[in-house]
Amino acid sequence: GEHFKAGVEVATLDPFQGYKAAIDEELAEATAVLDVFHVVALGTKCVDEVRRRVQQATTGHRGRKGDPLYGIQNILRAGEENLTDKQRARIERAFVAREAHDEVDLTWQAAQLLRSAYKNTDKTEGKRIAERILTSFPSCPIPEIARLGRTLRTWKEAFLAYFDTGASNGGTEAI
């Protein structure tokens, strides 16, 4: 009802225009906030896409046992702060195995930068990182990162709103 809707101040959402349209229509006074999980998932998806593209371009086939990039595919999905020394060494060996792997390295660094904006305990500093992402990612020569940057720029207000509200729908997503 109207009384309930009037009490909603913040609405978290996935980066899907249909959800945004519904919030704008039904909760016009609420602040829309992109959900952390979904934004970080977009960064992780970029890493997977670049890894697969570079793998195919350099070997002519999908990843196989023994291929450097194939051997680190799961490690690349983790947060850098959670890696063991052994995992860090495996990533480093894979990145230096071929010059073409630099694209995967840079994409992984970009995804980690995106994560760091949210992981930062100082929301003001996290917002600075997010603003830097909005400025730099869209012009990145790696197409997947440029696409992510354009997506985040399209959702700029909802992306940056997290750093003012701290809102997440993580609890709801967990259920």
Side-chain angles (χ1 to χ4, degrees):
E2 292 303 316
H3 179 71
F4 176 81
K5 289 194 296 187
V8 177
E9 296 176 12
V10 176
T12 57
L13 69 154
D14 303 4
F16 170 63
Q17 198 58 46
Y19 297 149
K20 179 73 167 94
I23 288 172
D24 289 348
E25 184 176 319
E26 297 296 328
L27 302 170
E29 301 301 315
T31 301
V33 179
L34 277 187
D35 181 54
V36 174
F37 170 81
H38 291 92
V39 174
V40 171
L42 289 174
T44 303
K45 181 180 176 189
C46 286
V47 175
D48 282 340
E49 290 172 352
V50 172
R51 182 194 55 76
R52 284 192 299 267
R53 177 173 55 77
V54 170
Q55 171 74 40
Q56 184 69 38
T58 56
T59 64
H61 58 76
R62 293 177 59 183
R64 297 179 184 155
K65 186 176 179 179
D67 291 339
L69 293 178
Y70 182 76
I72 62 169
Q73 66 179 338
N74 291 327
I75 299 172
L76 292 175
R77 294 182 184 121
E80 185 175 24
E81 72 279 2
N82 298 320
L83 298 180
T84 65
D85 290 341
K86 184 178 176 180
Q87 289 170 321
R88 287 177 201 281
R90 284 181 61 197
I91 285 178
E92 186 59 34
R93 282 193 307 274
F95 288 161
V96 300
R98 287 190 172 180
E99 189 175 330
H101 295 181
D102 287 351
E103 261 191 287
V104 182
D105 184 3
L106 291 172
T107 304
W108 187 69
Q109 289 178 48
Q112 295 303 313
L113 181 64
L114 182 60
R115 289 182 87 254
S116 77
Y118 290 115
K119 297 292 272 179
N120 202 308
T121 55
D122 178 358
K123 294 289 185 233
T124 303
E125 180 58 27
K127 190 171 188 175
R128 275 193 208 102
I129 294 168
E131 288 169 338
R132 196 169 98 215
I133 287 167
L134 289 170
T135 302
S136 62
F137 280 23
S139 60
C140 182
I142 300 170
E144 294 84 354
I145 293 297
R147 183 187 68 224
L148 174 61
R150 291 189 303 272
T151 298
L152 294 175
R153 191 172 53 197
T154 298
W155 290 89
K156 180 180 179 177
E157 285 183 34
F159 175 49
L160 294 177
Y162 168 81
F163 302 98
D164 297 325
T165 65
S168 170
N169 65 353
T172 305
E173 291 281 345
I175 293 171

